[in-house]
Amino acid sequence: MKIKNWKLKIRSTHGVTSLATMLILGSIIVQIGLVGFALSYYLTTSNAGVKFSSYALSAAQAGIAEGMLRVVRGDYPPSFPVTFLAVPGIGATTASVSICDDPSCESGLQDNQVRISSSATVFLKKSSIVAILDVHPATRLVRMISIKESL
């Protein structure tokens, strides 16, 4: 009889630790999800999102300016990264700049025209700018035809 009661007692307390473990792991997973949701909501709806978007736009504009300088000099690779000074709280901002002087890269691009596109990302906010320049082949005089923010 004692052996039977002993076996029944072991079976009755067998799943107690797994229940506590599942409750602890479940609460940790729920907390991680809530923090992720709160952080994404904060970055998309608060002033921080506007600030990051303006930083991305200014980095893309600086990338266009750097691309224009390289077009004037005449020594530009097809694409290159441009790293800017560190912004307090964000760090260094990088804009990816590509320069194309071939009419096959954009429809409507004529001879002696150059297309510069610059895109920068700060956290989740991305900004892209495209500029079309007219470059005189002899004097390297640059005239901006259009500049627009693209999505």
Side-chain angles (χ1 to χ4, degrees):
M1 278 308 254
K2 286 187 177 181
I3 294 176
K4 271 188 175 181
N5 289 340
W6 181 69
K7 286 184 181 180
L8 290 175
K9 191 172 185 178
I10 289 177
R11 284 189 179 169
S12 66
T13 60
H14 193 66
V16 173
T17 57
S18 63
L19 176 64
T21 304
M22 293 305 291
L23 287 174
I24 290 172
L25 288 177
S27 66
I28 289 173
I29 290 170
V30 167
Q31 286 178 358
I32 289 172
L34 288 175
V35 167
F37 175 74
L39 184 63
S40 66
Y41 179 77
Y42 171 72
L43 288 177
T44 56
T45 61
S46 69
N47 290 337
V50 173
K51 183 169 61 170
F52 297 151
S53 181
S54 69
Y55 285 151
L57 182 63
S58 64
Q61 288 173 343
I64 291 290
E66 179 69 22
M68 288 174 62
L69 286 174
R70 292 195 183 199
V71 167
V72 168
R73 287 186 209 138
D75 60 346
Y76 53 90
S79 64
F80 55 93
V82 178
T83 304
F84 302 102
L85 295 176
V87 178
I90 293 176
T93 305
T94 302
S96 175
V97 181
S98 65
I99 300 174
C100 181
D101 57 358
D102 187 22
S104 66
C105 68
E106 183 172 325
S107 62
L109 197 65
Q110 300 169 357
D111 290 339
N112 300 329
Q113 287 186 347
V114 177
R115 176 184 180 264
I116 302 172
S117 63
S118 174
S119 65
T121 304
V122 176
F123 287 114
L124 300 174
K125 301 297 182 177
K126 181 177 181 180
S127 182
S128 299
I129 298 177
V130 176
I132 306 291
L133 307 175
D134 186 28
V135 182
H136 191 274
T139 61
R140 305 297 297 171
L141 179 67
V142 174
R143 184 174 58 102
M144 183 174 296
I145 295 174
S146 72
I147 184 167
K148 63 180 178 178
E149 188 175 359
S150 62
L151 299 175

